[in-house]
Amino acid sequence: MTAPSAPPAPSTPSAPLTPPPGDPSLADPAPGPDFVTPVDNVFVRAHMGVPEIDASTWTLSVEGLVERPFRLGLADVLALPTEQLTAVHECFGSPFRPDTPTRAVTNIEWTGLPLAALLDRAVPLAPARHVRFEGADTGSFQGDDGVSYVKDLPLATAYRDVFLAHGMNGEPLRPRHGYPLRAVVPRMFGTNSVKWLTRIVLTDTRPEHTFTTRFYTRVLPGHDAPQPVREIDVSSKLLSPAPGAELGTGTQVFRGRAWSSTEVVSVEVSVDEGPWERAHLDVLGAEPTWQGFHLMRALPPGPHTVRSRARDRAGRVQPPPGSRNSVHEVAFTVTG
């Protein structure tokens, strides 16, 4: 364990570790029936490719406006007391199309430690107001050359919420999911959960950066200026029936998942553009996971559509079609 000096040289993106174009993890894979999403079904997003990291030389530095800057190797990190956190994890979607509907979402059991444990060791100085997280992935993005993936959060938020994960669903992180260490920010979009973490820097101002102030911003209701993409929206996704499914006659069971930055308090289902009916909704437990819902209906033979919309404790409701988290619709057929 040594004090931080100059950051290590950026690693080179490794094409073999980057999912090929046909890999379903690059799309919006269906959440599946499992409460915890299998690792193989977790989506992958890598703006500048997946860096190849040598675990024997990798380090994490905690520096900036702190009393006691330090650097940890992987063995140091793994020797720290570990905890588990199960949380819903959602991709915001394209930063160029912030209103395009997308539902790349998973529920993951992370293993690691709270960021607070490292901040307590570093002892933030009085002027510190923000925390910058920097990943090892570097390259060019939309005309910016030699950039690293950087995100930031207010110090109080980072201290309270950020989890540093080195495990995923009971196994070590895979390279394409952030090995050897990544940030996880429950209740926030995945863009804030920096992978391949190498530096944590405390500052007195927000960093002006490609991924902090240029991209991943949007104008929220009640605001005139763009805000950083942080808290996840209230959303739901129907898992069954599958799009285009052909179902036998009898009672149909519509199942899905709902999630938000706070508790989802109701989910309604509409069949064939009929009235909204309240579905049965699983109670949210102690962790920020998704919640299951279902509704049973008998339908006649023929084509049908089913929609779902969620409402959260903050009073937010999924909007009509056209927004990134708009009501989810599935078309299917009941055969005679």
Side-chain angles (χ1 to χ4, degrees), residues 190-279:
T191 179
N192 297 284
S193 295
V194 175
K195 299 185 288 291
W196 312 295
L197 193 60
T198 59
R199 299 177 73 204
I200 298 172
V201 186
L202 277 67
T203 65
D204 56 355
T205 58
R206 286 198 69 203
E208 295 282 341
H209 189 273
T210 301
F211 298 109
T212 61
T213 54
R214 182 179 173 195
F215 294 110
Y216 288 111
T217 64
R218 60 175 175 170
V219 179
L220 293 169
H223 293 265
D224 296 324
Q227 305 293 314
V229 167
R230 286 179 177 158
E231 286 192 351
I232 59 178
D233 301 317
V234 59
S235 297
S236 65
K237 186 168 187 173
L238 289 154
L239 304 186
S240 61
E246 294 187 357
L247 309 177
T249 55
T251 300
Q252 310 301 333
V253 182
F254 306 119
R255 299 184 185 276
R257 307 284 192 193
W259 63 96
S260 180
S261 59
T262 184
E263 180 184 12
V264 174
V265 295
S266 69
V267 174
E268 297 173 302
V269 173
S270 171
V271 180
D272 298 331
E273 301 186 10
W276 290 101
E277 304 175 54
R278 191 149 182 158

Coordinates of all heavy atoms in Angstrom, one line a residue, residues 190-279:
G190 N -26.9 3.0 -15.2 CA -25.6 2.3 -15.3 C -24.4 3.2 -15.7 O -23.3 2.9 -15.4
T191 N -24.7 4.2 -16.5 CA -23.6 5.1 -16.9 C -22.8 5.7 -15.7 O -21.7 6.1 -15.9 CB -24.2 6.3 -17.8 OG1 -23.2 7.2 -18.2 CG2 -25.3 7.1 -17.0
N192 N -23.4 5.8 -14.5 CA -22.7 6.3 -13.4 C -21.9 5.2 -12.7 O -21.1 5.6 -11.8 CB -23.8 6.8 -12.4 CG -24.6 8.0 -12.9 OD1 -24.1 9.1 -13.0 ND2 -25.8 7.7 -13.3
S193 N -22.1 4.0 -13.0 CA -21.3 2.9 -12.4 C -20.1 2.6 -13.2 O -20.0 1.6 -14.0 CB -22.2 1.6 -12.3 OG -23.3 1.9 -11.4
V194 N -19.0 3.3 -13.0 CA -17.8 3.2 -13.8 C -17.1 1.9 -13.6 O -16.9 1.4 -12.5 CB -16.8 4.4 -13.3 CG1 -15.5 4.2 -14.1 CG2 -17.5 5.7 -13.6
K195 N -16.8 1.3 -14.8 CA -16.2 0.0 -14.8 C -14.7 0.2 -14.9 O -14.2 1.2 -15.2 CB -16.7 -0.8 -16.0 CG -18.2 -1.1 -16.0 CD -18.6 -2.1 -17.1 CE -18.6 -1.4 -18.4 NZ -19.7 -0.3 -18.5
W196 N -13.9 -0.9 -14.6 CA -12.4 -0.9 -14.7 C -11.8 0.3 -13.9 O -11.0 1.0 -14.4 CB -12.0 -0.9 -16.1 CG -12.7 -1.9 -17.0 CD1 -12.7 -3.3 -16.9 CD2 -13.7 -1.7 -18.0 NE1 -13.5 -3.9 -17.8 CE2 -14.1 -2.9 -18.5 CE3 -14.2 -0.5 -18.6 CZ2 -15.1 -3.0 -19.5 CZ3 -15.1 -0.6 -19.6 CH2 -15.6 -1.9 -20.0
L197 N -12.3 0.4 -12.7 CA -12.0 1.6 -11.9 C -10.5 1.7 -11.5 O -9.9 0.7 -11.1 CB -12.9 1.6 -10.6 CG -12.9 2.8 -9.7 CD1 -13.5 4.0 -10.5 CD2 -13.8 2.5 -8.5
T198 N -9.9 2.8 -11.7 CA -8.5 3.0 -11.4 C -8.3 4.2 -10.4 O -7.3 4.2 -9.7 CB -7.7 3.2 -12.6 OG1 -8.1 4.4 -13.3 CG2 -7.7 2.0 -13.5
R199 N -9.1 5.2 -10.5 CA -8.9 6.4 -9.7 C -10.2 6.9 -9.1 O -11.2 6.9 -9.8 CB -8.3 7.6 -10.5 CG -6.9 7.2 -11.1 CD -6.4 8.4 -11.9 NE -6.0 9.5 -11.1 CZ -5.9 10.8 -11.6 NH1 -6.3 11.1 -12.8 NH2 -5.5 11.8 -10.8
I200 N -10.1 7.3 -7.8 CA -11.2 8.0 -7.1 C -10.6 9.3 -6.6 O -9.7 9.3 -5.8 CB -11.8 7.2 -6.0 CG1 -12.4 5.9 -6.5 CG2 -12.8 8.0 -5.2 CD1 -12.7 4.9 -5.4
V201 N -11.1 10.5 -7.2 CA -10.5 11.8 -6.9 C -11.6 12.7 -6.3 O -12.7 12.9 -6.9 CB -10.0 12.4 -8.2 CG1 -9.2 13.7 -7.8 CG2 -9.1 11.4 -8.9
L202 N -11.3 13.3 -5.1 CA -12.2 14.2 -4.5 C -11.8 15.6 -4.9 O -10.6 16.0 -4.9 CB -12.1 14.1 -3.0 CG -13.0 13.0 -2.3 CD1 -12.5 11.6 -2.7 CD2 -13.1 13.2 -0.8
T203 N -12.8 16.4 -5.3 CA -12.6 17.7 -5.9 C -13.6 18.7 -5.3 O -14.5 18.3 -4.6 CB -12.8 17.7 -7.4 OG1 -14.1 17.4 -7.7 CG2 -11.9 16.7 -8.1
D204 N -13.3 20.0 -5.5 CA -14.3 21.0 -5.0 C -15.3 21.5 -6.1 O -16.2 22.2 -5.8 CB -13.5 22.2 -4.5 CG -12.5 22.8 -5.5 OD1 -12.4 22.3 -6.6 OD2 -11.9 23.9 -5.2
T205 N -15.1 21.1 -7.3 CA -16.0 21.4 -8.4 C -16.3 20.2 -9.3 O -15.5 19.2 -9.3 CB -15.4 22.5 -9.3 OG1 -14.2 22.1 -9.9 CG2 -15.2 23.8 -8.5
R206 N -17.3 20.2 -10.0 CA -17.6 19.1 -11.0 C -16.6 19.2 -12.1 O -16.2 20.2 -12.6 CB -19.0 19.3 -11.6 CG -20.2 19.0 -10.7 CD -21.4 18.7 -11.6 NE -21.3 17.5 -12.3 CZ -22.0 17.3 -13.5 NH1 -22.8 18.2 -14.0 NH2 -21.8 16.1 -14.1
P207 N -16.1 18.0 -12.6 CA -15.2 18.0 -13.7 C -16.0 18.2 -15.0 O -17.1 17.7 -15.3 CB -14.7 16.6 -13.7 CG -15.7 15.7 -13.0 CD -16.4 16.7 -12.0
E208 N -15.4 19.1 -15.9 CA -15.9 19.3 -17.2 C -15.3 18.2 -18.1 O -14.1 18.1 -18.3 CB -15.5 20.7 -17.8 CG -16.1 21.8 -17.0 CD -17.6 22.1 -17.4 OE1 -18.0 21.6 -18.5 OE2 -18.3 22.7 -16.6
H209 N -16.1 17.3 -18.6 CA -15.6 16.1 -19.3 C -16.6 15.6 -20.3 O -17.8 15.9 -20.2 CB -15.3 15.0 -18.3 CG -14.5 13.9 -18.8 ND1 -15.1 12.8 -19.4 CD2 -13.2 13.6 -18.9 CE1 -14.2 11.9 -19.8 NE2 -13.0 12.4 -19.5
T210 N -16.1 14.8 -21.2 CA -17.0 14.3 -22.3 C -18.2 13.6 -21.7 O -19.3 13.7 -22.2 CB -16.2 13.3 -23.1 OG1 -15.0 13.9 -23.7 CG2 -17.0 12.6 -24.2
F211 N -18.0 12.8 -20.7 CA -19.1 11.9 -20.1 C -19.7 12.5 -18.9 O -20.6 11.9 -18.3 CB -18.5 10.5 -19.8 CG -18.0 9.8 -21.0 CD1 -16.7 9.6 -21.2 CD2 -18.9 9.4 -22.0 CE1 -16.2 8.9 -22.3 CE2 -18.5 8.7 -23.2 CZ -17.1 8.5 -23.3
T212 N -19.3 13.7 -18.5 CA -20.0 14.4 -17.4 C -20.9 15.5 -17.7 O -22.0 15.7 -17.2 CB -19.0 14.9 -16.3 OG1 -18.1 15.8 -16.9 CG2 -18.1 13.7 -15.8
T213 N -20.4 16.4 -18.6 CA -21.2 17.6 -19.0 C -21.5 17.7 -20.5 O -22.4 18.4 -20.8 CB -20.4 18.9 -18.6 OG1 -19.1 18.8 -19.2 CG2 -20.3 19.0 -17.1
R214 N -20.8 16.9 -21.3 CA -21.1 17.0 -22.7 C -22.2 15.9 -23.1 O -23.2 16.2 -23.8 CB -19.9 16.7 -23.6 CG -20.1 16.8 -25.1 CD -18.8 16.7 -25.9 NE -19.1 16.6 -27.3 CZ -18.2 16.2 -28.2 NH1 -17.0 15.8 -27.8 NH2 -18.6 16.1 -29.5
F215 N -22.0 14.7 -22.7 CA -23.0 13.6 -22.9 C -23.6 13.2 -21.6 O -23.1 13.4 -20.5 CB -22.3 12.5 -23.7 CG -21.8 12.8 -25.0 CD1 -20.4 12.9 -25.3 CD2 -22.7 13.1 -26.1 CE1 -20.0 13.3 -26.6 CE2 -22.3 13.4 -27.3 CZ -20.9 13.5 -27.6
Y216 N -24.6 12.4 -21.8 CA -25.4 11.9 -20.6 C -26.0 13.0 -19.8 O -25.8 13.1 -18.5 CB -24.5 10.9 -19.8 CG -24.3 9.6 -20.5 CD1 -23.1 9.2 -21.0 CD2 -25.4 8.7 -20.7 CE1 -22.8 8.0 -21.6 CE2 -25.2 7.5 -21.4 CZ -23.9 7.2 -21.8 OH -23.7 6.0 -22.5
T217 N -26.6 13.9 -20.4 CA -27.4 15.0 -19.8 C -28.8 15.0 -20.4 O -29.0 14.5 -21.6 CB -26.8 16.4 -19.9 OG1 -26.8 16.8 -21.3 CG2 -25.4 16.4 -19.3
R218 N -29.8 15.5 -19.7 CA -31.1 15.6 -20.3 C -31.9 16.7 -19.4 O -31.5 17.0 -18.3 CB -31.9 14.3 -20.2 CG -32.1 13.7 -18.8 CD -32.9 12.5 -18.9 NE -33.0 11.8 -17.6 CZ -33.8 10.8 -17.3 NH1 -34.7 10.4 -18.2 NH2 -33.9 10.3 -16.1
V219 N -32.9 17.3 -20.1 CA -33.7 18.3 -19.4 C -34.9 17.5 -18.7 O -35.7 17.0 -19.4 CB -34.2 19.3 -20.4 CG1 -35.1 20.3 -19.6 CG2 -33.1 20.0 -21.1
L220 N -34.9 17.6 -17.4 CA -35.9 16.9 -16.6 C -37.1 17.8 -16.4 O -37.0 19.0 -16.5 CB -35.4 16.5 -15.3 CG -34.3 15.4 -15.3 CD1 -33.6 15.3 -13.9 CD2 -34.9 14.1 -15.7
P221 N -38.3 17.2 -16.2 CA -39.5 18.1 -15.9 C -39.2 19.0 -14.8 O -38.7 18.6 -13.7 CB -40.6 17.0 -15.6 CG -40.1 15.8 -16.3 CD -38.6 15.8 -16.2
G222 N -39.6 20.3 -14.9 CA -39.4 21.3 -13.9 C -38.0 21.9 -14.0 O -37.7 22.8 -13.2
H223 N -37.2 21.6 -15.0 CA -35.9 22.2 -15.1 C -35.8 22.8 -16.5 O -36.4 22.3 -17.5 CB -34.8 21.1 -15.0 CG -34.7 20.6 -13.6 ND1 -33.8 21.1 -12.7 CD2 -35.3 19.6 -13.0 CE1 -33.9 20.4 -11.5 NE2 -34.8 19.5 -11.7
D224 N -35.0 23.9 -16.6 CA -34.8 24.5 -17.9 C -33.5 24.1 -18.6 O -33.3 24.2 -19.8 CB -34.9 26.1 -17.8 CG -36.2 26.6 -17.3 OD1 -37.2 26.0 -17.7 OD2 -36.2 27.5 -16.5
A225 N -32.5 23.8 -17.7 CA -31.2 23.4 -18.2 C -31.0 21.9 -18.1 O -31.6 21.2 -17.3 CB -30.2 24.2 -17.4
P226 N -30.1 21.4 -19.0 CA -29.8 20.0 -18.9 C -29.2 19.6 -17.5 O -28.4 20.3 -16.9 CB -28.7 19.8 -20.0 CG -28.9 20.9 -20.9 CD -29.4 22.1 -20.1
Q227 N -29.6 18.4 -17.0 CA -29.1 17.9 -15.8 C -28.4 16.6 -16.1 O -28.7 15.9 -17.1 CB -30.3 17.6 -14.8 CG -31.2 18.8 -14.6 CD -30.5 19.8 -13.8 OE1 -29.9 19.6 -12.8 NE2 -30.7 21.1 -14.3
P228 N -27.4 16.2 -15.2 CA -26.7 14.9 -15.5 C -27.7 13.7 -15.3 O -28.6 13.8 -14.5 CB -25.7 14.9 -14.4 CG -26.1 15.9 -13.3 CD -26.9 16.9 -14.1
V229 N -27.5 12.7 -16.2 CA -28.3 11.5 -16.1 C -28.0 10.7 -14.9 O -26.9 10.2 -14.8 CB -28.2 10.7 -17.4 CG1 -28.8 9.3 -17.2 CG2 -28.8 11.4 -18.6
R230 N -28.8 10.7 -13.9 CA -28.5 10.0 -12.7 C -29.7 9.0 -12.3 O -29.7 7.9 -12.6 CB -28.2 11.0 -11.6 CG -26.8 11.6 -11.8 CD -26.4 12.6 -10.7 NE -25.0 13.0 -11.0 CZ -24.5 14.2 -10.5 NH1 -25.3 15.0 -9.8 NH2 -23.2 14.5 -10.8
E231 N -30.6 9.5 -11.5 CA -31.7 8.6 -11.0 C -32.4 7.9 -12.1 O -32.8 8.5 -13.1 CB -32.7 9.4 -10.1 CG -32.1 9.8 -8.8 CD -33.2 10.4 -7.9 OE1 -34.4 10.6 -8.4 OE2 -33.0 10.6 -6.7
I232 N -32.7 6.6 -11.9 CA -33.4 5.9 -12.9 C -34.9 6.3 -12.9 O -35.4 6.8 -11.9 CB -33.3 4.3 -12.7 CG1 -33.8 3.9 -11.3 CG2 -31.8 3.9 -12.9 CD1 -33.7 2.4 -11.1
D233 N -35.5 6.1 -14.0 CA -37.0 6.4 -14.2 C -37.8 5.3 -13.6 O -37.3 4.2 -13.5 CB -37.3 6.7 -15.6 CG -36.5 7.8 -16.3 OD1 -36.3 8.8 -15.6 OD2 -36.0 7.6 -17.4
V234 N -39.1 5.6 -13.4 CA -40.0 4.5 -13.1 C -40.3 3.7 -14.4 O -40.6 4.3 -15.4 CB -41.3 5.1 -12.5 CG1 -42.0 6.1 -13.4 CG2 -42.2 3.9 -12.0
S235 N -40.2 2.4 -14.4 CA -40.4 1.6 -15.6 C -41.0 0.3 -15.2 O -41.0 -0.2 -14.1 CB -39.0 1.4 -16.3 OG -38.5 2.6 -16.7
S236 N -41.5 -0.4 -16.3 CA -41.9 -1.8 -16.2 C -41.6 -2.5 -17.5 O -41.5 -1.8 -18.5 CB -43.4 -1.9 -15.8 OG -44.2 -1.4 -16.9
K237 N -41.5 -3.8 -17.4 CA -41.3 -4.6 -18.7 C -42.0 -5.9 -18.5 O -41.9 -6.6 -17.6 CB -39.8 -4.8 -18.8 CG -39.4 -5.5 -20.2 CD -37.9 -5.4 -20.4 CE -37.6 -6.0 -21.8 NZ -36.2 -5.8 -22.1
L238 N -42.8 -6.2 -19.6 CA -43.6 -7.4 -19.6 C -42.6 -8.6 -20.1 O -41.9 -8.4 -21.1 CB -44.7 -7.4 -20.6 CG -45.9 -6.5 -20.1 CD1 -46.7 -5.9 -21.3 CD2 -46.8 -7.3 -19.2
L239 N -42.6 -9.6 -19.3 CA -41.7 -10.8 -19.6 C -42.5 -11.9 -20.4 O -42.0 -12.6 -21.2 CB -41.1 -11.4 -18.4 CG -40.3 -10.4 -17.5 CD1 -39.7 -11.2 -16.4 CD2 -39.3 -9.7 -18.3
S240 N -43.8 -12.0 -20.0 CA -44.6 -13.0 -20.7 C -46.0 -12.4 -20.8 O -46.5 -11.7 -19.9 CB -44.7 -14.3 -19.9 OG -45.2 -14.1 -18.6
P241 N -46.6 -12.6 -22.0 CA -46.1 -13.4 -23.1 C -45.0 -12.6 -23.9 O -44.8 -11.4 -23.7 CB -47.3 -13.5 -24.1 CG -48.1 -12.2 -23.8 CD -47.9 -12.0 -22.3
A242 N -44.2 -13.4 -24.6 CA -43.1 -12.9 -25.4 C -43.7 -12.2 -26.6 O -44.8 -12.6 -27.1 CB -42.2 -14.0 -25.8
P243 N -43.1 -11.2 -27.2 CA -43.6 -10.6 -28.4 C -43.8 -11.6 -29.5 O -42.9 -12.4 -29.8 CB -42.5 -9.6 -28.8 CG -41.8 -9.3 -27.5 CD -41.8 -10.6 -26.7
G244 N -45.0 -11.6 -30.1 CA -45.3 -12.5 -31.2 C -45.7 -13.9 -30.8 O -45.8 -14.8 -31.7
A245 N -45.8 -14.1 -29.5 CA -46.1 -15.5 -29.0 C -47.5 -15.9 -29.5 O -48.4 -15.1 -29.7 CB -46.0 -15.5 -27.5
E246 N -47.6 -17.2 -29.7 CA -48.9 -17.9 -30.0 C -49.3 -18.7 -28.7 O -48.6 -19.7 -28.4 CB -48.8 -18.7 -31.2 CG -48.6 -17.9 -32.5 CD -48.6 -18.8 -33.7 OE1 -48.9 -20.0 -33.6 OE2 -48.5 -18.2 -34.8
L247 N -50.3 -18.3 -28.1 CA -50.8 -18.9 -26.8 C -52.0 -19.8 -27.0 O -52.9 -19.4 -27.8 CB -51.0 -17.9 -25.7 CG -49.9 -16.8 -25.5 CD1 -50.3 -15.8 -24.5 CD2 -48.6 -17.5 -25.1
G248 N -52.1 -20.8 -26.2 CA -53.3 -21.6 -26.3 C -54.5 -20.9 -25.6 O -54.3 -19.9 -24.9
T249 N -55.7 -21.4 -25.8 CA -56.8 -20.8 -25.2 C -56.8 -21.1 -23.7 O -56.1 -21.9 -23.2 CB -58.1 -21.4 -25.8 OG1 -58.1 -22.9 -25.6 CG2 -58.3 -21.1 -27.2
G250 N -57.6 -20.3 -22.9 CA -57.6 -20.4 -21.5 C -57.2 -19.2 -20.8 O -56.9 -18.1 -21.5
T251 N -57.0 -19.2 -19.5 CA -56.5 -18.1 -18.8 C -55.1 -17.8 -19.1 O -54.2 -18.6 -19.0 CB -56.7 -18.3 -17.3 OG1 -58.1 -18.5 -17.0 CG2 -56.3 -17.1 -16.5
Q252 N -54.8 -16.5 -19.4 CA -53.4 -16.1 -19.7 C -52.9 -15.4 -18.4 O -53.6 -14.7 -17.7 CB -53.4 -15.1 -20.9 CG -54.1 -15.6 -22.1 CD -53.6 -16.9 -22.6 OE1 -52.4 -17.2 -22.4 NE2 -54.4 -17.7 -23.3
V253 N -51.6 -15.6 -18.2 CA -50.9 -14.9 -17.1 C -49.9 -13.9 -17.7 O -48.9 -14.3 -18.3 CB -50.2 -15.9 -16.1 CG1 -49.6 -15.2 -15.0 CG2 -51.2 -17.0 -15.6
F254 N -50.1 -12.6 -17.4 CA -49.2 -11.6 -17.8 C -48.2 -11.3 -16.7 O -48.6 -10.9 -15.6 CB -49.9 -10.4 -18.2 CG -51.0 -10.6 -19.3 CD1 -52.3 -10.3 -19.0 CD2 -50.7 -11.1 -20.5 CE1 -53.3 -10.5 -19.9 CE2 -51.6 -11.4 -21.4 CZ -53.0 -11.1 -21.1
R255 N -46.9 -11.5 -16.9 CA -45.9 -11.3 -15.9 C -44.9 -10.3 -16.3 O -44.6 -10.2 -17.5 CB -45.2 -12.7 -15.5 CG -46.1 -13.8 -15.0 CD -45.3 -15.0 -14.6 NE -46.2 -16.1 -14.2 CZ -46.7 -16.2 -13.0 NH1 -46.4 -15.4 -12.1 NH2 -47.5 -17.3 -12.7
G256 N -44.3 -9.6 -15.3 CA -43.2 -8.7 -15.7 C -42.5 -8.2 -14.5 O -42.6 -8.7 -13.4
R257 N -41.6 -7.2 -14.7 CA -40.8 -6.6 -13.7 C -41.1 -5.1 -13.7 O -41.3 -4.5 -14.8 CB -39.3 -6.9 -13.9 CG -38.9 -8.3 -14.0 CD -38.9 -9.1 -12.7 NE -38.3 -10.4 -12.9 CZ -38.4 -11.3 -11.9 NH1 -39.1 -11.1 -10.8 NH2 -37.8 -12.5 -12.1
A258 N -41.0 -4.5 -12.5 CA -41.1 -3.0 -12.4 C -40.0 -2.5 -11.5 O -39.5 -3.2 -10.6 CB -42.5 -2.6 -11.8
W259 N -39.5 -1.3 -11.7 CA -38.4 -0.8 -11.0 C -38.4 0.7 -11.0 O -39.0 1.3 -11.9 CB -37.1 -1.4 -11.5 CG -36.7 -1.0 -12.9 CD1 -35.9 0.1 -13.3 CD2 -37.2 -1.6 -14.1 NE1 -35.9 0.1 -14.7 CE2 -36.6 -0.9 -15.2 CE3 -38.0 -2.7 -14.3 CZ2 -36.9 -1.3 -16.5 CZ3 -38.3 -3.1 -15.7 CH2 -37.7 -2.3 -16.7
S260 N -37.7 1.3 -10.1 CA -37.6 2.8 -10.1 C -36.4 3.2 -9.2 O -35.8 2.3 -8.6 CB -38.9 3.4 -9.6 OG -38.8 4.8 -9.6
S261 N -36.2 4.5 -9.0 CA -35.2 4.9 -8.0 C -35.7 4.9 -6.6 O -35.0 5.0 -5.6 CB -34.8 6.4 -8.3 OG -35.9 7.2 -8.3
T262 N -37.0 4.6 -6.5 CA -37.7 4.4 -5.2 C -38.6 3.2 -5.4 O -38.7 2.6 -6.4 CB -38.4 5.7 -4.7 OG1 -38.9 5.5 -3.4 CG2 -39.5 6.0 -5.7
E263 N -39.4 2.9 -4.4 CA -40.3 1.8 -4.4 C -41.4 2.0 -5.5 O -42.0 3.1 -5.6 CB -41.0 1.6 -3.1 CG -41.9 0.4 -3.0 CD -42.7 0.3 -1.7 OE1 -42.6 1.2 -0.9 OE2 -43.3 -0.8 -1.4
V264 N -41.7 1.0 -6.3 CA -42.9 1.0 -7.1 C -44.1 0.6 -6.3 O -44.0 -0.5 -5.6 CB -42.7 0.0 -8.3 CG1 -44.0 -0.1 -9.1 CG2 -41.5 0.4 -9.2
V265 N -45.1 1.4 -6.3 CA -46.3 1.2 -5.4 C -47.4 0.5 -6.2 O -48.4 0.0 -5.5 CB -46.7 2.5 -4.7 CG1 -45.6 2.9 -3.8 CG2 -47.1 3.5 -5.7
S266 N -47.5 0.6 -7.5 CA -48.5 0.0 -8.3 C -48.1 -0.3 -9.7 O -47.3 0.5 -10.2 CB -49.8 0.8 -8.2 OG -49.7 2.0 -9.0
V267 N -48.6 -1.3 -10.3 CA -48.5 -1.6 -11.7 C -49.9 -1.9 -12.2 O -50.6 -2.7 -11.7 CB -47.5 -2.8 -12.0 CG1 -47.5 -3.1 -13.5 CG2 -46.1 -2.5 -11.5
E268 N -50.2 -1.3 -13.4 CA -51.5 -1.5 -14.0 C -51.2 -2.2 -15.4 O -50.2 -1.9 -16.0 CB -52.2 -0.2 -14.2 CG -52.6 0.4 -12.9 CD -53.2 1.8 -13.1 OE1 -52.5 2.7 -13.7 OE2 -54.4 2.0 -12.6
V269 N -52.2 -3.0 -15.8 CA -52.1 -3.7 -17.1 C -53.3 -3.4 -17.9 O -54.5 -3.4 -17.3 CB -51.9 -5.2 -16.9 CG1 -52.0 -6.0 -18.2 CG2 -50.6 -5.5 -16.1
S270 N -53.1 -3.1 -19.2 CA -54.3 -2.9 -20.1 C -54.2 -3.9 -21.2 O -53.1 -4.0 -21.8 CB -54.2 -1.4 -20.6 OG -55.1 -1.2 -21.7
V271 N -55.3 -4.5 -21.5 CA -55.4 -5.5 -22.5 C -56.2 -5.0 -23.7 O -57.3 -4.5 -23.5 CB -56.0 -6.8 -22.0 CG1 -56.1 -7.9 -23.2 CG2 -55.2 -7.4 -20.9
D272 N -55.7 -5.0 -24.9 CA -56.4 -4.5 -26.1 C -56.9 -3.1 -25.9 O -58.0 -2.8 -26.3 CB -57.5 -5.5 -26.4 CG -57.0 -6.9 -26.8 OD1 -55.9 -7.0 -27.2 OD2 -57.8 -7.9 -26.5
E273 N -56.0 -2.2 -25.3 CA -56.3 -0.8 -25.1 C -57.6 -0.6 -24.3 O -58.2 0.5 -24.3 CB -56.5 -0.1 -26.5 CG -55.2 -0.2 -27.3 CD -55.3 0.7 -28.6 OE1 -56.2 1.4 -28.7 OE2 -54.4 0.5 -29.4
G274 N -57.9 -1.6 -23.4 CA -59.0 -1.5 -22.5 C -58.6 -0.7 -21.3 O -57.5 -0.1 -21.2
P275 N -59.5 -0.7 -20.3 CA -59.2 0.0 -19.0 C -58.0 -0.6 -18.3 O -57.7 -1.8 -18.4 CB -60.5 -0.2 -18.2 CG -61.1 -1.4 -18.7 CD -60.8 -1.4 -20.2
W276 N -57.3 0.2 -17.6 CA -56.2 -0.2 -16.8 C -56.6 -1.0 -15.6 O -57.5 -0.6 -14.9 CB -55.3 1.0 -16.3 CG -54.6 1.7 -17.4 CD1 -55.0 2.8 -18.1 CD2 -53.4 1.2 -18.0 NE1 -54.0 3.2 -19.0 CE2 -53.1 2.2 -19.0 CE3 -52.5 0.2 -17.9 CZ2 -51.9 2.1 -19.9 CZ3 -51.4 0.1 -18.7 CH2 -51.1 1.0 -19.6
E277 N -56.0 -2.2 -15.4 CA -56.4 -3.0 -14.2 C -55.2 -3.2 -13.3 O -54.1 -3.4 -13.8 CB -56.8 -4.4 -14.7 CG -58.0 -4.4 -15.7 CD -58.3 -5.8 -16.3 OE1 -58.5 -6.7 -15.4 OE2 -58.3 -5.9 -17.5
R278 N -55.4 -3.1 -12.1 CA -54.3 -3.2 -11.1 C -53.8 -4.6 -11.0 O -54.6 -5.6 -10.8 CB -54.7 -2.8 -9.7 CG -53.6 -2.6 -8.8 CD -53.9 -1.5 -7.8 NE -52.8 -1.2 -6.9 CZ -52.6 -0.1 -6.2 NH1 -53.5 0.9 -6.4 NH2 -51.6 0.0 -5.4
A279 N -52.5 -4.8 -11.2 CA -51.9 -6.1 -11.2 C -51.4 -6.4 -9.8 O -51.2 -5.5 -8.9 CB -50.7 -6.2 -12.1

